[in-house]
């Protein structure tokens, strides 16, 4: 029934797909069957990957309800129900989607990190979800104090993140977060999220998480790693105040919970009503970046351009396949194009980005932005990029070797 649902969705019949998938999740016998499916060591990786999709119908429901909620359909309850089922199965992908769903933003659109988001995203990343590892890398690279912005509930205080002194009468009763997805363990981050507490350590942890994503060939992480490697100074705003680290009363910014609520939630229209701390230092306070290595940044950008080339090559190969399909019955299709063209022409430098279809699909749609940002960095720095063998990849003022207008020329695929 899971496969039938996938076919229905592919054919555009979302209602039938949803009905079929829920019929599996709401039937204990069927749910137990799909969750006990194990990889077959005698089969190919592609076969087992397909099998894994059939064993996680909650992910199909999460993605379809997530998209429909974003379009304004009133399916929040169904989305949260599917997320809860996935989290109960300890599925790291479900934790990633839960973090994405519960994500909050500042008025300018930037991430407003909360203890719930950090817990869910860390859970997903630690279990091997590359996109989650990338999001954590970006979080540790860009976030400043306060590292998490939601106010700790009274029952976990005192913590470094307290904005006001708690009312002792309220300590006995845990406060509700308003989320049915928030695990109780998320409260631990109010005590542990002060580590790392300085810009250098946070940059190091950012790079560590990005390497996890890069090992899985998540291309956007190469671009962010290039940015880190090409940044001369870190941001002093990433330093945790001494008052917070020592739990000094000086960490309190508001006299009471009433003052806090007035400042955070009842501000003037147009102001960001979610900001609870603003760094007031200047550039002169920013420390030098010990990871500043322009040559390393260049090599990361080489991989960004390789990733872009991988997307171009797949599109090029599928175009060839479509043309061939009209002339011969055994033409390649979307499932075997890489076997027929990519491997046979031996292009390992960018074929590596095809090693996991799920990871590839999670970033391939962003290729235009990746290319533009990589080119912008090269042009700003007037860089010429070479690969590990000394081959020319990019020259400022000229662009990528073998430009996209000449994509039919094999030269583009040999940079």
């Amino acid at each position: 029934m899971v496969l039938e649902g996938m076919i229905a969705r592919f054919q555009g019949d979302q209602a039938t797909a949803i009905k079929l998938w829920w019929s599996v999740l709401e039937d204990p016998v069927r749910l137990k069957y799909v969750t006990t499916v194990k990889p077959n060591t005698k089969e190919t990786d592609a076969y087992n990957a397909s099998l894994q999709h059939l064993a996680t119908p909650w992910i199909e429901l999460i993605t379809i309800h997530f998209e429909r909620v974003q379009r304004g359909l009133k399916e929040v309850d169904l989305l949260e129900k599917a997320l809860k089922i996935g989290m109960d199965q300890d599925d790291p992908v479900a934790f990633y989607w839960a973090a994405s769903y519960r994500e909050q933003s500042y008025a300018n659109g930037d991430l407003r990190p909360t203890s719930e988001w950090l817990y869910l995203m860390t859970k997903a990343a630690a279990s091997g979800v590359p996109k989650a590892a990338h999001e954590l890398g970006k979080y540790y690279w860009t976030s400043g104090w306060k590292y998490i912005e939601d106010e700790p509930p009274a029952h976990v205080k005192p913590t470094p993140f307290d904005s006001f002194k708690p009312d002792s009468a309220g300590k006995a009763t845990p406060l509700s977060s308003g989320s049915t997805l928030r695990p109780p363990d998320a409260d631990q981050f109010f005590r542990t999220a002060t580590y790392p507490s300085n810009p250098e350590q946070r940059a190091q942890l950012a790079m560590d998480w990005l390497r996890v994503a890069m090992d899985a060939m998540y291309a956007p992480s190469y671009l962010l790693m290039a940015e880190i490697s090409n940044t001369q100074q870190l941001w002093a705003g990433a330093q945790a105040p001494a008052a917070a680290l020592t739990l000094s009363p000086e960490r309190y910014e508001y006299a009471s919970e009433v003052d806090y609520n007035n400042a955070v939630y009842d501000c003037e229209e147009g102001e960001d009503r979610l900001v609870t701390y603003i760094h007031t230092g200047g550039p002169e306070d920013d420390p030098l970046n010990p990871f500043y290595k322009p040559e390393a940044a260049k090599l990361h950008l080489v991989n960004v351009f390789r990733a872009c080339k991988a997307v171009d090559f797949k599109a090029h190969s599928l175009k060839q396949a479509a043309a061939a399909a009209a002339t011969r019955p055994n033409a390649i299709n979307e499932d075997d194009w890489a076997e027929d063209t990519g491997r046979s022409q031996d292009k390992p430098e960018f074929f590596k980005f095809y090693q996991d279809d799920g990871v590839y699909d999670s970033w391939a749609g962003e290729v235009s932005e990746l290319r533009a940002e990589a080119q912008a960095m090269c042009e700003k720095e007037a860089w010429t990029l070479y690969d590990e063998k000394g081959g020319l990849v990019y020259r400022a003022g000229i662009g990528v070797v073998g430009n996209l207008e000449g994509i039919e020329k094999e030269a583009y695929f040999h940079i």
Side-chain angles (χ1 to χ4, degrees):
M1 297 185 78
V2 180
L3 179 58
E4 291 178 53
M6 291 178 174
I7 294 171
R9 185 177 189 180
F10 178 78
Q11 294 174 335
D13 188 354
Q14 291 190 346
T16 297
I18 290 171
K19 182 178 179 180
L20 286 166
W21 290 328
W22 276 117
S23 70
V24 175
L25 293 192
E26 293 177 335
D27 184 325
V29 176
R30 289 172 176 165
L31 181 59
K32 182 178 180 180
Y33 175 77
V34 298
T35 55
T36 54
V37 173
K38 302 296 183 184
N40 188 338
T41 56
K42 297 181 180 180
E43 295 290 349
T44 64
D45 290 343
Y47 174 88
N48 284 316
S50 299
L51 196 65
Q52 184 62 28
H53 282 300
L54 296 176
T56 53
W58 50 84
I59 297 300
E60 306 301 328
L61 282 167
I62 289 169
T63 56
I64 199 169
H65 285 309
F66 194 92
E67 178 229 327
R68 288 161 69 91
V69 166
Q70 288 185 317
R71 287 196 282 119
L73 277 70
K74 297 180 179 180
E75 298 183 4
V76 169
D77 290 345
L78 289 172
L79 171 58
E80 293 193 358
K81 183 178 179 181
L83 286 166
K84 190 70 167 62
I85 291 172
M87 292 164 65
D88 288 344
Q89 297 295 328
D90 203 29
D91 186 338
V93 178
F95 280 96
Y96 167 77
W97 280 105
S100 300
Y101 168 62
R102 293 294 300 165
E103 182 176 306
Q104 297 181 17
S105 300
Y106 294 116
N108 64 1
D110 289 345
L111 170 72
R112 178 191 185 248
T114 64
S115 56
E116 179 184 31
W117 178 90
L118 186 56
Y119 174 88
L120 294 170
M121 197 62 79
T122 302
K123 178 86 171 176
S127 298
V129 179
K131 195 167 186 176
H134 175 82
E135 292 300 321
L136 278 187
K138 184 164 65 173
Y139 159 75
Y140 283 109
W141 173 240
T142 61
S143 60
W145 185 262
K146 292 181 172 180
Y147 306 142
I148 49 180
E149 286 281 359
D150 50 330
E151 181 66 15
H155 72 281
V156 301
K157 291 185 176 184
T159 80
F161 297 95
D162 301 345
S163 298
F164 53 87
K165 186 176 181 179
D167 180 355
S168 58
K171 282 190 177 182
T173 305
L175 299 179
S176 171
S177 69
S179 169
T180 60
L181 301 174
R182 179 186 174 87
D185 288 348
D187 284 347
Q188 67 183 286
F189 279 86
F190 287 119
R191 295 194 176 94
T192 62
T194 49
Y195 176 81
S197 58
N198 65 53
E200 294 83 359
Q201 292 174 341
R202 293 184 74 79
Q204 178 66 71
L205 188 54
M207 296 170 70
D208 290 343
W209 279 118
L210 290 175
R211 289 189 185 99
V212 172
M214 289 161 60
D215 286 345
M217 296 298 113
Y218 185 74
S221 293
Y222 284 99
L223 182 64
L224 185 51
M225 189 70 92
E227 178 187 319
I228 295 174
S229 301
N230 194 45
T231 299
Q232 296 188 45
Q233 289 181 285
L234 301 177
W235 182 40
Q239 175 68 53
L245 296 174
T246 60
L247 299 185
S248 165
E250 294 177 359
R251 74 187 185 283
Y252 300 135
E253 300 166 66
Y254 302 96
S256 67
E257 184 173 4
V258 172
D259 289 344
Y260 168 82
N261 287 334
N262 287 339
V264 176
Y265 300 110
D266 299 329
C267 54
E268 295 295 326
E269 184 177 355
E271 295 182 34
D272 193 332
R273 59 182 58 220
L274 297 177
V275 173
T276 58
Y277 180 89
I278 298 176
H279 175 63
T280 56
E284 66 278 3
D285 300 318
D286 295 338
L288 294 176
N289 179 8
F291 311 109
Y292 175 62
K293 297 178 181 178
E295 292 305 312
K298 292 179 183 181
L299 288 177
H300 293 312
L301 289 179
V302 167
N303 275 301
V304 174
F305 286 120
R306 284 173 173 165
C308 295
K309 184 172 63 171
V311 176
D312 295 335
F313 182 68
K314 181 173 182 178
H316 175 61
S317 299
L318 290 174
K319 182 180 177 181
Q320 289 182 320
T327 59
R328 58 187 175 96
N330 61 339
I332 60 175
N333 58 41
E334 190 161 352
D335 293 326
D336 61 15
W337 68 271
E339 183 74 38
D340 195 39
T341 58
R343 290 194 180 102
S344 66
Q345 296 184 39
D346 190 26
K347 306 179 192 310
E349 74 280 1
F350 66 91
F351 189 79
K352 63 185 180 182
F353 289 101
Y354 306 135
Q355 68 183 25
D356 187 304
D357 288 341
V359 175
Y360 174 86
D361 291 340
S362 70
W363 63 263
E366 306 170 31
V367 69
S368 295
E369 293 82 0
L370 289 177
R371 194 192 321 269
E373 290 185 40
Q375 290 176 333
M377 189 180 298
C378 289
E379 295 298 327
K380 180 181 178 182
E381 302 293 344
W383 278 346
T384 297
L385 304 185
Y386 299 93
D387 64 20
E388 297 86 344
K389 297 179 180 180
L392 179 64
V393 175
Y394 188 99
R395 188 185 298 278
I398 297 176
V400 179
V401 176
N403 60 55
L404 301 186
E405 297 300 321
I407 197 170
E408 300 294 335
K409 299 179 182 178
E410 279 296 299
Y412 174 68
F413 299 115
H414 284 286
I415 65 172

